[in-house]
Amino acid sequence: VPERFRNMQLQEEFDTYDHDAHLFVKLQFLKKRSKIIEIVAAKDIIFALAHSGLCAAFSRVTNKRLSFLNLSPDEVIRSLFYNKNNDSLITVSVYASDHFSTLKCRTTPIEYIRRDQLDAGFPLFESESLKWPGFVEFDDVNGKVLTYSAQDGPGIMLLIYDRTPSYVPLKILSIEDGKPLKLFKHLLHRGKKIDFIEQFNEKLLVKQEDENLQILDVWHDTSVYYTYLVTFTVLQA
């Protein structure tokens, strides 16, 4: 391994912190340094998202910061997704004005970010209610997105226990009183990591590495579970 990487050298360092640039934010935790939790490379631009929710874009051509992607003083960016289908960046944010309870998605073409014209972006999924515990998941390989609106969902909660090589123990609880409604073991493909396990109303979504997405009806016996190859909303301009 040392031989393989012996010629690798540091080319450039980027810093998301800028005392003067941070004057525009009104949330104190956005003004402080925090660790980087996500780095996304999109052609000649690098995006760095800090744990605080501040996100910066850097040019790999000039090695300088292009802009901060936070458009309002109370915006906290939670995640990033580079959409290769239309060469754009999607940000998922929460806002202090909304008590950080609703996820808001926005897409901005990379070309406009390169020009520092962030107002050229536009919101996504406005018809969806993504209040907690709602969520949005991105499929980087297929360029798809899955959203879950919890507004009309049942009052159940999924507990996921540590997996074994061949299965993962799962328990369904009632949010109302915490009573266990169902306990079962979901069989897994050995040696393949779990991409995600999500509860979607009475359905369970399970995705493993290089495997089809499984949609399971948690109220029926595991013998009647089926596997589907499904598609979701295609991210296009």
Side-chain angles (χ1 to χ4, degrees), residues 5-233:
F5 297 104
R6 64 181 300 180
N7 293 324
M8 296 186 68
Q9 298 179 0
L10 177 66
Q11 293 184 336
E12 191 61 44
E13 294 184 357
F14 300 105
D15 192 350
T16 60
Y17 184 81
D18 186 321
H19 179 74
D20 294 330
H22 285 56
L23 295 177
F24 82 98
V25 297
K26 68 180 182 182
L27 302 176
Q28 289 299 317
F29 58 81
L30 285 180
K31 300 179 181 181
K32 299 178 180 179
R33 287 186 178 274
S34 64
K35 64 181 180 180
I36 300 299
I37 60 171
E38 196 167 351
I39 298 175
V40 174
K43 295 185 177 179
D44 61 336
I45 300 179
I46 295 177
F47 300 94
L49 176 62
H51 185 266
S52 64
L54 194 71
C55 183
F58 299 91
S59 170
R60 298 173 65 181
V61 177
T62 63
N63 291 328
K64 294 182 179 180
R65 188 180 61 247
L66 294 172
S67 61
F68 289 103
L69 271 65
N70 306 66
L71 293 184
S72 67
D74 69 334
E75 180 182 7
V76 177
I77 298 177
R78 286 303 182 204
S79 63
L80 310 172
F81 176 75
Y82 173 50
N83 182 12
K84 302 181 183 70
N85 291 329
N86 61 3
D87 195 30
S88 65
L89 185 81
I90 297 175
T91 54
V92 181
S93 305
V94 292
Y95 296 83
S97 57
D98 187 38
H99 305 291
F100 308 109
S101 64
T102 305
L103 297 174
K104 299 289 186 181
C105 301
R106 182 179 180 85
T107 180
T108 308
I110 295 297
E111 181 58 35
Y112 289 105
I113 296 176
R114 192 178 289 114
R115 301 174 189 171
D116 195 17
Q117 297 176 346
L118 300 181
D119 55 355
F122 55 90
L124 296 173
F125 319 128
E126 291 185 286
S127 62
E128 297 293 317
S129 175
L130 298 178
K131 287 183 177 292
W132 188 92
F135 63 82
V136 55
E137 294 282 352
F138 297 99
D139 181 349
D140 187 30
V141 176
N142 299 302
K144 315 291 187 196
V145 61
L146 173 68
T147 63
Y148 170 53
S149 174
Q151 188 171 9
D152 302 318
I156 59 176
M157 179 173 60
L158 175 69
L159 289 184
I160 305 172
Y161 294 88
D162 291 338
R163 67 172 288 179
T164 70
S166 59
Y167 67 87
V168 57
L170 301 170
K171 183 185 287 187
I172 303 293
L173 301 178
S174 169
I175 293 180
E176 192 78 23
D177 53 16
K179 278 187 179 181
L181 303 176
K182 188 176 181 66
L183 175 64
F184 58 99
K185 299 175 181 178
H186 176 67
L187 297 179
L188 298 173
H189 295 278
R190 287 176 173 269
K192 295 196 174 183
K193 71 176 184 178
I194 298 175
D195 290 334
F196 64 82
I197 299 178
E198 297 284 357
Q199 171 202 331
F200 193 85
N201 293 335
E202 73 280 3
K203 299 297 189 293
L204 188 70
L205 308 180
V206 182
K207 178 68 172 67
Q208 283 189 260
E209 182 182 25
D210 299 325
E211 296 293 337
N212 291 341
L213 174 69
Q214 291 181 297
I215 303 178
L216 315 175
D217 188 338
V218 298
W219 301 120
H220 291 83
D221 186 81
T222 55
S223 61
V224 299
Y225 286 178
Y226 296 96
T227 301
Y228 296 92
L229 179 62
V230 298
T231 57
F232 304 109
T233 307

